[in-house]
Amino acid sequence: MKHPAYILGSIEALAGVLLLSVTAIIKEVMPILGRIAFQSAAAGSYSPENYAAAFPLPIVLSVLLIAAGAVQIVYAVLKKET
């Protein structure tokens, strides 16, 4: 393994992007699943705001993973040049 910092940085950045993508998909799907559950139960009134979820911790974690991965990649490139 020639450049472990570059490889680990790439894995961290990809994990951050994947976590951010999964969070965005879940955020879009939750109101749709809420509408389906409401229609099957046929009780009360449906509002998409009731099923909107906020994911502050996964979003912050994914941004930190992307930033840490970018820093490691830059460090690996600069270390390679010297």
Side-chain angles (χ1 to χ4, degrees):
M1 207 159 35
K2 294 182 180 179
H3 306 287
Y6 180 76
I7 293 171
L8 291 175
S10 299
I11 291 171
E12 283 181 357
L14 288 175
V17 169
L18 181 66
L19 182 62
L20 196 59
S21 299
V22 168
T23 304
I25 290 171
I26 290 173
K27 201 171 188 178
E28 291 294 321
V29 169
M30 286 296 288
I32 297 170
L33 292 176
R35 184 179 328 129
I36 292 170
F38 168 74
Q39 288 176 349
S40 67
S45 62
Y46 171 75
S47 174
E49 289 82 29
N50 292 341
Y51 298 97
F55 297 105
L57 185 63
I59 291 173
V60 168
L61 183 63
S62 63
V63 169
L64 289 176
L65 279 171
I66 293 169
V71 167
Q72 282 187 356
I73 290 171
V74 168
Y75 174 75
V77 168
L78 291 177
K79 185 178 177 184
K80 181 181 174 184
E81 290 178 359
T82 59

